[in-house]
Amino acid sequence: MWDAASQLVQENNDDPHDLLKKKAQSQVDRNDVLAAATTYEEVGEYSQAIDLLGAGGWDDRLYNLVETYLTEKHEKLIIKCIEYFKKHGKMNYAVETAKKLSNVTTLLQIYLDAQNWEEAFKIGDSFPQYHEQIYLPYGNWLAMNDRYDEAQEYYTKAGRPEDAIKVLKFLASNSVTQNSFKRAACYYQSLSRDIVLQLSEKTNISQTLDKNEQLSLLKTYQIYAKLYYAYDKVYKFVNDPFTMTPPEHLMNTAKFILVYLLNNTNPRKISKTFTLYCLAKISFKLKCFKTCRFAYEKLMQIQLPLEWRDTIDLGAMVVRSKPMTDPEQFLIPCVLCGTVNPFINPKENRCVNCCIPFILSAHSFEVLPLIQFVPLSNISNDECQKLLQSEPALYSTPQNLFNFSELDISNDKPYKPPIFNREQLLQADPQSVFIRKYKCSHVPDEYYIKRDSSANIVMCDNCQQFFYEEEWNYQVLITGRCSFCTIESKIAG
Ligand SMILES: [Zn+2]
Ligand SMILES: [Zn+2]
């Protein structure tokens, strides 16, 4: 008889609080949750009401409580309600409730938990100090939703390069699995860039082991970027004979991959059989019968797919009736010592006489007339670059700079690039010199000079790869981009 009881309380001017609490308790005992909650609301015992409604899953009723009774001073209660809404998946209620909070950190956390990125970014716009707190979970969320490219960007923004690298590695490996080799190449390029970035942020790497490990990773990623980029063309040639790649480019490309495969372990999914097959077919077409024979001989040593055997046997037989030579235009005069090299040197991509590594165009994989040099050890990067940029009374031609007769050329020792002193650096024509800058004290900048100042060579500003001007311009005209790194580029010259 609650009505009679409350009338009695009123008449005696007593406090109705205790009576109402008893009433609510009896409603709870009768399992009448909604009525009990209403009674608790009347007494101002919101916490009890929230627990009853929340535990019973009465979300609409709970939201009604929030709207009617709660203000920003009820922070703890608001958070309690939000927890219930989140638990029941009522994110819209959670977000609306969160708007009652004045504490930005808590509010942001609720938006992040609710994955309400729009609201979270709004807070980020007004309070830039929260950016990092938003970028990381957003990166995670993007990665969970297979949006790895964007995830990678946000990891970097959040100052979490390790996570960015993890995602990139995953992307690269996935692209390889899907035979999407050109994309894999792009990811390996980004990986090498991130390694340099990571190294440049570590001002004093105490463990040299760590540094060496990173540097060797950098080398691996750089070469993988090139290999997968090259292999994309070979793979397309084998699977689709109507390739757009000119045969000379394709032959150079296959050679570049093959020489690597003959001396190193295969990167995943790069097939020696496909590479040799491509080389054999194309070299025959270009009348490079010596190279063609070499490719067929290597193919015969490999276990071939059944359906290929007859074609390969026939090809190998036909090429034996041809002269065992490659046309002169495919032989490679060494940029340093002038020795005429065979088209393919199975041991390495170097001169057979002086061992200088050949620098290849990142488009056609043709040997470029470029020589890498290093400044004398006591010349800093800054000084070296200043000397190279200054204008002397007279530039020396690259030929004079090198003084070839004095170069220490011997194939017994490991090759060392020519060393330039201050005078040579000063006299070098800046138009003939290329500098690959890494902007990182742990990775030395690389210096290259044209063997012949009239050679038209272009270096991409972004990926710092070299190209013949003609092929660069052709690519940029067609696609507007560097063919290696696919970044928008301008015509040279
Ligand atoms: Zn040489
Ligand atoms: Zn590029």
Side-chain angles (χ1 to χ4, degrees):
M1 296 171 69
W2 295 112
D3 290 341
S6 57
Q7 205 179 347
L8 203 64
V9 167
Q10 250 174 22
E11 281 167 13
N12 287 332
N13 276 337
D14 282 347
D15 181 8
H17 197 255
D18 286 344
L19 178 73
L20 285 172
K21 272 169 81 176
K22 273 186 194 145
K23 178 180 169 188
Q25 188 54 51
S26 90
Q27 286 164 328
V28 172
D29 293 342
R30 288 206 316 270
N31 236 349
D32 192 352
V33 174
L34 291 179
T38 312
T39 315
Y40 277 129
E41 279 172 356
E42 260 176 67
V43 217
E45 294 274 346
Y46 303 128
S47 178
Q48 311 269 33
I50 290 169
D51 281 339
L52 279 174
L53 294 171
W58 300 93
D59 294 312
D60 296 338
R61 182 63 183 76
L62 182 60
Y63 184 62
N64 183 270
L65 183 155
V66 173
E67 285 285 87
T68 322
Y69 299 103
L70 301 188
T71 59
E72 64 178 72
K73 66 177 187 207
H74 298 109
E75 191 180 320
K76 275 190 185 155
L77 295 180
I78 291 176
I79 292 174
K80 204 186 222 183
C81 294
I82 291 170
E83 289 304 322
Y84 278 122
F85 290 139
K86 281 202 294 195
K87 201 168 147 194
H88 302 151
K90 299 279 187 211
M91 283 334 234
N92 48 341
Y93 281 162
V95 169
E96 286 308 310
T97 309
K99 285 182 182 164
K100 287 192 174 272
L101 287 170
S102 57
N103 181 338
V104 178
T105 319
T106 322
L107 181 61
L108 176 63
Q109 193 52 51
I110 283 151
Y111 285 147
L112 295 179
D113 291 346
Q115 298 179 344
N116 188 323
W117 306 115
E118 201 180 317
E119 294 295 334
F121 275 100
K122 268 187 210 162
I123 293 188
D125 289 342
S126 319
F127 304 94
Q129 67 268 36
Y130 291 111
H131 269 160
E132 246 174 58
Q133 215 174 315
I134 303 168
Y135 290 157
L136 185 63
Y138 186 56
N140 284 334
W141 179 79
L142 287 169
M144 295 254 294
N145 286 283
D146 295 344
R147 288 161 66 183
Y148 298 100
D149 290 293
E150 292 161 82
Q152 203 257 335
E153 182 191 328
Y154 281 94
Y155 283 136
T156 314
K157 278 188 182 171
R160 292 285 285 263
E162 317 83 40
D163 287 334
I165 286 179
K166 226 186 278 167
V167 170
L168 269 180
K169 274 190 197 163
F170 176 74
L171 283 173
S173 148
N174 241 14
S175 307
V176 172
T177 308
Q178 293 167 354
N179 299 332
S180 187
F181 301 111
K182 210 169 171 184
R183 261 180 58 196
C186 284
Y187 290 130
Y188 279 113
Q189 278 182 64
S190 306
L191 268 170
S192 59
R193 239 193 329 258
D194 278 11
I195 293 272
V196 175
L197 207 73
Q198 217 179 25
L199 273 168
S200 63
E201 275 162 11
K202 291 180 186 163
T203 37
N204 49 6
I205 297 184
S206 49
Q207 302 125 317
T208 38
L209 193 72
D210 186 37
K211 182 182 157 185
N212 290 343
E213 206 176 283
Q214 298 281 64
L215 286 177
S216 95
L217 258 183
L218 173 66
K219 280 226 163 68
T220 310
Y221 292 150
Q222 281 173 336
I223 184 77
Y224 273 25
K226 271 197 182 161
L227 282 168
Y228 281 113
Y229 171 81
Y231 187 66
D232 185 65
K233 298 181 192 195
V234 168
Y235 182 79
K236 280 186 182 144
F237 170 79
V238 176
N239 286 288
D240 173 14
F242 302 104
T243 172
M244 297 292 285
T245 316
E248 294 82 3
H249 289 191
L250 206 49
M251 188 163 78
N252 282 321
T253 310
K255 175 184 79 169
F256 162 72
I257 303 169
L258 182 64
V259 173
Y260 181 87
L261 296 185
L262 291 175
N263 300 288
N264 300 278
T265 46
N266 277 37
R268 196 162 65 89
K269 288 202 97 180
I270 293 193
S271 151
K272 198 191 271 181
T273 315
F274 275 29
T275 311
L276 281 166
Y277 177 81
C278 170
L279 187 65
K281 286 273 170 191
I282 289 291
S283 55
F284 189 83
K285 198 171 166 185
L286 293 171
K287 298 193 167 61
C288 288
F289 300 124
K290 191 177 166 194
T291 302
C292 183
R293 266 203 209 193
F294 173 80
Y296 275 120
E297 274 162 25
K298 290 278 173 202
L299 268 175
M300 307 291 251
Q301 297 163 7
I302 294 176
Q303 192 143 26
L304 293 167
L306 215 58
E307 64 272 22
W308 280 27
R309 266 186 219 158
D310 287 349
T311 329
I312 303 289
D313 284 347
L314 184 67
M317 209 160 68
V318 173
V319 76
R320 257 179 246 141
S321 66
K322 304 285 179 192
M324 173 95 163
T325 50
D326 287 337
E328 209 174 304
Q329 80 247 37
F330 292 109
L331 305 179
I332 301 158
C334 171
V335 284
L336 192 60
C337 71
T339 307
V340 177
N341 281 259
F343 175 71
I344 192 162
N345 170 7
K347 281 192 192 140
E348 254 175 312
N349 207 353
R350 289 171 185 273
C351 168
V352 285
N353 178 43
C354 69
C355 292
I356 183 179
F358 292 137
I359 316 286
L360 306 179
S361 151
H363 179 69
S364 60
F365 289 88
E366 219 175 291
V367 176
L368 296 169
L370 277 179
I371 299 168
Q372 187 175 5
F373 65 91
V374 288
L376 211 61
S377 61
N378 63 3
I379 305 177
S380 72
N381 264 339
D382 286 348
E383 189 191 352
C384 175
Q385 283 161 30
K386 237 177 244 163
L387 285 168
L388 283 170
Q389 273 150 18
S390 54
E391 290 186 23
L394 189 73
Y395 292 130
S396 283
T397 61
Q399 283 91 333
N400 291 344
L401 272 175
F402 279 110
N403 202 354
F404 288 100
S405 56
E406 279 178 19
L407 278 174
D408 181 17
I409 291 172
S410 147
N411 56 4
D412 301 335
K413 296 177 234 168
Y415 172 81
K416 280 205 183 103
I419 298 169
F420 274 24
N421 58 30
R422 286 184 171 78
E423 199 183 339
Q424 284 168 305
L425 289 171
L426 191 65
Q427 283 175 9
D429 177 0
Q431 300 296 324
S432 295
V433 173
F434 294 98
I435 309 169
R436 266 190 190 157
K437 290 181 187 170
Y438 289 102
K439 294 176 192 155
C440 168
S441 54
H442 305 293
V443 188
D445 288 350
E446 291 168 14
Y447 299 92
Y448 298 85
I449 187 162
K450 289 197 265 187
R451 169 73 160 89
D452 172 0
S453 40
S454 65
N456 291 325
I457 296 171
V458 178
M459 183 174 85
C460 171
D461 290 338
N462 178 57
C463 60
Q464 308 199 78
Q465 294 293 333
F466 299 111
F467 304 85
Y468 273 116
E469 192 179 285
E470 202 179 305
E471 56 190 35
W472 167 268
N473 284 349
Y474 180 71
Q475 277 303 307
V476 174
L477 263 179
I478 292 178
T479 62
R481 290 162 190 277
C482 162
S483 59
F484 190 73
C485 66
T486 67
I487 293 288
E488 274 184 49
S489 306
K490 286 201 186 87
I491 287 184

